[in-house]
Amino acid sequence: MRKLTDKFGRQISYLRLAVTDRCNFRCQYCMPAQGAAIVDRKELLTFKEMYRVTRVLSELGVDKVRLTGGEPFVRRDFINFLESLAFNDKLKSINLTTNGALVGKYIDTLEALGITNVNLSIDSLNKEKFNTITHRNAFDDVYNTLQNLQQSNINLKLNVVVIPDVNTNEIIDFIALTKNQDLAVRFIEEMPFNGKGLRETEQVWNSATILNHIQSHYKDIEQLAHKTSATSNNYRVKGYRGSFGIIPAFTRTICHDCNRIRITATGLFKNCLFDDGVFNVRDFIRNGASDNDLKKLFIETVSQKPKNGFVAEAARDNKVSESMSSIGG
Ligand code: SAM
Ligand code: SF4
């Protein structure tokens, strides 16, 4: 049943749910080195509330959920929450985005729970540089997770935020990983969601620049067919096993077939990454909303989904500045 349709005919079937605003890293493009302000624990949605919201949305046609944060694995009992979510047979896929540092010992459990896709964030293959970007000494843990996920049945995508002057010289190294491995590497345009409101540099590394850079190195690149509602434009170096993609997160050229909504760790419902939140699901639930009340609100809200990320940003009361860790990437 697909009831969540906006006025441009886009059907919403994908929820990105931030399970926490806390994180064990301090990635330089995501938050200040001293960390972003975190909310009081009681302001976070409880797992029971998240389960309910997800169930209600699944009854309206949402069949894919991505659990993100902050870092999902820093929230206590996250694995138990995953287990309960896996019982919802309306969900065709439950995916995770993680920095990987705490994932090592859970890979078998993730497989057993039927988690099919994990996006692992890793912005450098160089230990010192990685540790400088994240302000943490965790490269070895993350790299072990990468290797162990590759040995598992879970589909692995690597998320690489392209940071001018920092890791642009590693773009080709990341693509080299796809030569013999069935791996998807996705380069993400940096956005100003970093707790400061400004991108760190005037240098433009947008999807076109990134692709040009790759094409100047590899002459034989094929574009892969665009899957409906895909978040990236995807390519393969001819003859390579894996693929690479570019996510135009900042230039926003993929809004036309967006199927996504977000709920932040405090329950803020977002129709678009770039809006500043439409209503708070947590308050609505805590004020006694029934499932039907929730459904009505979701249907009405989704119908107002802005045409694209530029329209959403223009309608904000405040400038984009919050950290991705509070929104859920
Ligand atoms: N902590 C987990 C992680 O890092 O994978 C999940 C949350 S994180 C906010 C989700 C994704 O957003 C990561 O791939 C991260 O690199 C990306 N991200 C964070 N801040 C960003 C920014 N300012 N611009 C572009 N991507 C960003
Ligand atoms: Fe944490 Fe992910 Fe933000 Fe890095 S990108 S600080 S790992 S939430």
Side-chain angles (χ1 to χ4, degrees):
M1 186 205 304
R2 296 207 182 269
K3 288 199 167 160
L4 297 173
T5 305
D6 72 9
K7 53 181 184 290
F8 305 100
R10 295 174 297 190
Q11 291 186 336
I12 301 307
S13 55
Y14 182 7
L15 167 67
R16 292 194 176 196
L17 179 62
V19 301
T20 180
D21 62 343
R22 272 90 167 150
C23 189
N24 48 343
F25 283 13
R26 298 285 178 267
C27 300
Q28 58 180 240
Y29 50 75
C30 181
M31 58 171 84
Q34 70 277 15
I38 53 168
V39 301
D40 198 86
R41 223 164 269 280
K42 61 180 185 304
E43 289 185 41
L44 297 175
L45 282 175
T46 63
F47 281 136
K48 202 170 166 188
E49 289 166 337
M50 288 184 215
Y51 181 85
R52 180 170 173 216
V53 168
T54 309
R55 176 181 52 74
V56 168
L57 283 167
S58 73
E59 287 164 11
L60 294 173
V62 167
D63 58 13
K64 176 174 172 181
V65 176
R66 174 169 302 282
L67 301 169
T68 176
E71 173 49 39
F73 286 84
V74 302
R75 183 140 183 197
R76 196 150 49 96
D77 292 335
F78 173 61
I79 286 286
N80 294 342
F81 173 60
L82 263 185
E83 194 172 355
S84 58
L85 214 54
F87 280 115
N88 182 340
D89 59 7
K90 288 193 163 59
L91 296 178
K92 290 193 193 129
S93 74
I94 301 173
N95 303 339
L96 303 177
T97 302
T98 173
N99 64 31
L102 305 173
V103 177
K105 62 178 182 192
Y106 295 116
I107 293 179
D108 290 348
T109 314
L110 297 180
E111 276 188 303
L113 290 175
I115 305 301
T116 46
N117 298 289
V118 170
N119 290 3
L120 177 72
S121 303
I122 177 164
D123 302 314
S124 176
L125 298 169
N126 172 289
K127 183 171 173 164
E128 281 70 43
K129 198 194 288 182
F130 178 92
N131 292 346
T132 305
I133 295 170
T134 58
H135 292 106
R136 291 292 181 272
N137 197 0
F139 179 80
D140 292 341
D141 294 332
V142 175
Y143 200 72
N144 280 340
T145 298
L146 190 166
Q147 290 182 312
N148 292 334
L149 281 168
Q150 275 185 288
Q151 305 299 320
S152 75
N153 292 324
I154 296 170
N155 296 318
L156 177 63
K157 289 182 182 163
L158 302 187
N159 280 1
V160 181
V161 176
V162 175
I163 319 167
D165 296 327
V166 177
N167 65 355
T168 45
N169 61 346
E170 287 192 68
I171 291 175
I172 302 303
D173 299 342
F174 274 106
I175 294 183
L177 293 180
T178 68
K179 184 170 183 182
N180 299 314
Q181 303 173 61
D182 187 13
L183 181 70
V185 177
R186 289 122 42 90
F187 301 104
I188 309 176
E189 289 176 346
E190 189 180 343
M191 299 178 288
F193 292 106
N194 53 19
K196 298 172 233 169
L198 281 177
R199 294 166 101 207
E200 298 287 329
T201 171
E202 287 306 308
Q203 256 197 62
V204 181
W205 274 84
N206 58 28
S207 39
T209 328
I210 297 168
L211 185 59
N212 281 340
H213 175 73
I214 297 170
Q215 281 170 328
S216 69
H217 189 89
Y218 291 107
K219 297 295 164 226
D220 232 355
I221 289 174
E222 54 188 345
Q223 177 150 20
L224 305 178
H226 180 80
K227 289 196 190 133
T228 314
S229 305
T231 48
S232 56
N233 296 313
N234 298 312
Y235 308 84
R236 184 191 308 277
V237 178
K238 275 203 180 138
Y240 278 24
R241 258 186 93 194
S243 62
F244 71 91
I246 304 177
I247 302 184
F250 188 63
T251 50
R252 289 161 259 184
T253 48
I254 49 164
C255 302
H256 58 282
D257 63 352
C258 178
N259 64 347
R260 297 173 285 282
I261 49 175
R262 287 167 201 266
I263 296 181
T264 72
T266 55
L268 201 59
F269 182 100
K270 287 168 74 77
N271 257 329
C272 172
L273 173 60
F274 284 85
D275 72 29
D276 55 357
V278 191
F279 68 91
N280 194 297
V281 189
R282 177 203 60 204
D283 296 345
F284 203 57
I285 290 178
R286 292 185 190 173
N287 286 330
S290 68
D291 285 1
N292 271 341
D293 295 334
L294 275 171
K295 282 183 186 169
K296 267 194 220 148
L297 189 59
F298 287 139
I299 291 169
E300 169 54 27
T301 306
V302 164
S303 74
Q304 303 303 321
K305 184 173 165 77
K307 187 172 181 193
N308 57 45
F310 294 102
V311 174
E313 186 177 0
R316 287 175 69 112
D317 289 334
N318 49 26
K319 194 161 134 312
V320 165
S321 70
E322 61 273 35
S323 162
M324 276 297 275
S325 63
S326 65
I327 303 174

